[in-house]
Amino acid sequence: MDIRQLKYLDALITAGSFTKAAEQLNMAQPALSQSIKRLEQELGVTLVDRGANKSSKSLSLTAEGDALHQHAKLIIKKMAQAEAHIKSMANLTMGEVRVAVPGMLGSYYLPRRLMAFRHQHSQLKLSLFEGGTRDTLRMLQNEDVDIAIITGNDLTDEFDSHLLLQEQMVVAVGKEHPLAESDSVSLEAFFQHELVFFKPGYFHRDWMLEQAEKLGLKANIAFETNLINLIKQVVAQEYGITSVLEMVIEKHDNICAKPFNPPIFLDLHIAWKKQRPISQADKAFVEFLMHNR
């Protein structure tokens, strides 16, 4: 039994006769009769009482035929709804983009781009999940989101990806801090000061602590928070220094951004799982970001 046979049965009942149904289906009457006959043979029941009401040339269903017709109508309706739904998704008139992003990008890189994408695709739903870089990687691996922005270090063979941007990591210091007069800051000099860091779970923090360990130094973490604005306030008030992506430091911040010496850059990729094809809405979002970097 397949959907075509069910559509034939529904057309037969709606038309009231094999002749009219065949005309509506644009097929030969014998072909329609044979299709219904094969369906009856497959199910082992009689669906159409061909001997009833011969004088009026109309047909009637057996109890089994009526029961199957009720199911057929529901199935045909659901199939039509499914087809319309998928076509809407393909045409970007329906769908959802679920994306996980690191906190710094969520606050300073994506807002304007998200609004522009939403303006262009107003019927799509955007669900943004913001957290640490470790969080975004975990959500992508667990399929809690369909796409995520992750670091180049986190790329593995299980992901397809595009390089979205390369951003410089800088030292953020208050304008009266001793390092504010420096043209650049070495990692050794950075670790000589009290630090304001994200809490565990951020690639940025993990990477910096790895560098301290390689240099045989101990990072003096004086303050921990995942609130970027609070980190900037602590730095501006000279309670510590930090390292952030260059995009985080804005003109109105009472903070100086100094490059590391040698310079340090972070590669950020937009990625998705190879074994889980992304939707047309997700593809549109990825393409939009790549064209609006």
Side-chain angles (χ1 to χ4, degrees):
M1 182 171 60
D2 58 37
I3 185 66
R4 184 177 57 180
Q5 291 173 309
L6 295 180
K7 287 182 176 179
Y8 287 172
L9 178 65
D10 182 58
L12 178 62
I13 304 310
T14 303
S17 73
F18 281 94
T19 301
K20 292 181 180 179
E23 289 175 356
Q24 293 176 6
L25 293 168
N26 195 26
M27 64 187 301
Q29 180 178 330
L32 175 59
S33 298
Q34 286 300 314
S35 178
I36 299 297
K37 190 67 177 178
R38 283 194 298 271
L39 179 58
E40 291 176 320
Q41 291 171 347
E42 289 175 21
L43 297 175
V45 297
T46 298
L47 301 172
V48 180
D49 186 355
R50 294 164 177 81
N53 300 320
K54 283 187 176 181
S55 59
S56 62
K57 297 185 180 180
S58 63
L59 55 82
S60 64
L61 294 176
T62 64
E64 292 82 1
D66 184 61
L68 180 60
H69 186 224
Q70 298 307 312
H71 288 291
K73 288 190 293 185
L74 291 175
I75 293 170
I76 293 168
K77 182 179 179 180
K78 288 294 183 182
M79 286 289 291
Q81 290 174 342
E83 183 178 0
H85 188 172
I86 299 305
K87 285 182 177 179
S88 295
M89 294 178 70
N91 295 330
L92 299 180
T93 57
M94 182 183 294
E96 179 180 7
V97 178
R98 300 185 307 159
V99 56
V101 300
M104 281 187 274
L105 266 68
S107 298
Y108 294 93
Y109 179 78
L110 282 180
R112 177 173 58 85
R113 292 169 175 83
L114 289 175
M115 294 304 100
F117 178 80
R118 187 73 175 80
H119 178 75
Q120 187 171 321
H121 300 286
S122 59
Q123 292 175 298
L124 295 181
K125 178 182 178 182
L126 274 173
S127 296
L128 183 69
F129 300 87
E130 191 176 1
T133 41
R134 302 278 74 83
D135 294 327
T136 61
L137 178 62
R138 175 185 52 78
M139 293 187 72
L140 184 59
Q141 290 172 326
N142 293 344
E143 300 183 358
D144 296 323
V145 294
D146 303 308
I147 52 180
I149 298 176
I150 61 177
T151 69
N153 298 58
D154 292 325
L155 286 178
T156 64
D157 290 339
E158 69 176 313
F159 300 126
D160 275 330
S161 68
H162 296 308
L163 175 62
L164 181 62
L165 73 157
Q166 185 182 70
E167 185 73 4
Q168 187 168 20
M169 295 168 63
V170 297
V171 180
V173 302
K175 291 191 173 181
E176 302 301 322
H177 193 277
L179 292 178
E181 299 299 320
S182 304
D183 292 330
S184 60
V185 179
S186 67
L187 282 169
E188 291 87 350
F190 177 78
F191 288 115
Q192 290 174 10
H193 298 271
E194 289 190 335
L195 304 175
V196 185
F197 267 1
F198 292 105
K199 292 183 178 182
Y202 281 73
F203 170 85
H204 208 88
R205 172 196 173 106
D206 295 344
W207 189 88
M208 295 302 295
L209 294 182
E210 286 176 10
Q211 304 316 302
E213 186 177 352
K214 289 178 182 178
L215 294 169
L217 301 173
K218 181 176 176 59
N220 181 10
I221 303 176
F223 199 94
E224 289 183 340
T225 179
N226 292 339
L227 301 175
I228 299 176
N229 285 332
L230 180 55
I231 288 177
K232 292 201 290 185
Q233 290 177 30
V234 172
V235 169
Q237 294 177 32
E238 312 284 347
Y239 288 113
I241 67 173
T242 192
S243 171
V244 292
L245 297 180
E246 190 173 20
M247 69 175 71
V248 171
I249 308 303
E250 300 173 295
K251 291 182 179 180
H252 64 267
D253 294 327
N254 195 31
I255 292 173
C256 296
K258 301 295 177 179
F260 280 101
N261 183 18
I264 300 171
F265 292 89
L266 185 63
D267 290 342
L268 292 160
H269 295 250
I270 186 161
W272 57 94
K273 296 187 77 172
K274 288 181 180 178
Q275 295 182 347
R276 191 167 189 261
I278 57 176
S279 68
Q280 292 298 316
D282 291 325
K283 289 179 181 178
F285 183 72
V286 171
E287 290 173 2
F288 181 88
L289 287 186
M290 294 305 296
H291 284 101
N292 294 275
R293 290 182 285 181

